[in-house]
Amino acid sequence: MSRRLAAAAAVLTLTVTLTACATSDAGGALSPDRVTTVSSQAASTTRNAADAQFAQMMIVHHEGAIEMAELAIDAASTAEVKALGERIAAAQQPEIDQMTAWLRAWGEPGPPDMSHAGMDHRGMDMDGMDQAGAVTDLERQSGVGFDRRFLKLMIAHHAGAIEMSEAELARGRNADALALARTIIDAQTAEIAEMTNLLGGL
């Protein structure tokens, strides 16, 4: 009888222990996976004014790049410049969508609704021209002349995006925005090298 009671007590103790472990994992208090997920979510919601401004102004900047890229798709005289235009448009539209979603989640206005007073407009001009001036200039070009002008303007445009991204790395706090800034710097630095090579061959 005593042996049966001892065995029953041991089973009960094991059951209680296993239940406690399962409860801790389900509740997230002791689960490493849950801790990692919560930390990641907390990091993604940490932000400051520089992050919002980066997203707002980079959306505008990307929209300008796509506008110019679409002109290249239609008017470029070389397959290489047409293909570059297609790649730029394909890469930057998803980033616009991503930044738009951030602003909505953060309760911040998008570019059409925001006041530009006091905004940092670094990186928004090309060869001394604004977006409208650059597009007008491109629309006047044709043939190889278009290709050359497009490459020169897009090199300046990419340099502006890199400058804006470096400012975000210096002042921003949001992990997602900082990661995008690094992606833009890497991708557009590589494209500047590609465009410089294309320009040398025209």
Side-chain angles (χ1 to χ4, degrees):
M1 183 67 175
S2 62
R3 281 198 297 272
R4 282 200 297 270
L5 288 174
V11 170
L12 179 60
T13 300
L14 179 60
T15 302
V16 171
T17 302
L18 292 174
T19 302
C21 289
T23 302
S24 294
D25 286 343
L30 299 179
S31 169
D33 291 340
R34 287 279 294 169
V35 171
T36 299
T37 301
V38 171
S39 297
S40 177
Q41 289 172 346
S44 68
T45 57
T46 299
R47 60 183 176 86
N48 61 12
D51 298 312
Q53 186 176 36
F54 169 72
Q56 289 161 340
M57 300 306 290
M58 192 60 79
I59 287 171
V60 175
H61 201 266
H62 274 17
E63 287 172 344
I66 291 173
E67 184 179 19
M68 293 165 62
E70 288 175 344
L71 287 175
I73 294 168
D74 291 338
S77 67
T78 62
E80 292 84 359
V81 175
K82 283 181 181 290
L84 176 64
E86 290 170 351
R87 292 203 319 272
I88 289 172
Q92 297 198 17
Q93 184 58 54
E95 292 178 351
I96 289 174
D97 296 340
Q98 182 181 34
M99 290 183 286
T100 301
W102 291 346
L103 292 173
R104 190 178 300 116
W106 296 343
E108 296 283 354
D113 304 314
M114 68 185 187
S115 169
H116 290 261
M119 298 291 279
D120 183 354
H121 291 268
R122 74 177 72 194
M124 299 297 284
D125 70 300
M126 295 157 281
D127 276 0
M129 291 185 292
D130 61 10
Q131 179 67 26
V135 169
T136 298
D137 189 17
L138 278 176
E139 288 174 338
R140 293 174 178 155
Q141 309 294 328
S142 62
V144 176
F146 174 92
D147 293 8
R148 289 196 186 100
R149 192 61 181 144
F150 170 78
L151 291 170
K152 287 178 181 177
L153 288 172
M154 192 58 80
I155 286 170
H157 198 271
H158 275 22
I162 291 170
E163 183 180 1
M164 293 164 66
S165 297
E166 288 173 342
E168 167 63 10
L169 292 181
R171 301 184 309 190
R173 292 185 60 200
N174 182 263
D176 293 331
L178 292 170
L180 179 59
R182 294 185 193 97
T183 295
I184 290 171
I185 290 170
D186 291 344
Q188 299 204 15
T189 297
E191 286 180 349
I192 286 174
E194 177 185 0
M195 290 187 286
T196 301
N197 288 336
L198 287 174
L199 195 56
L202 292 176

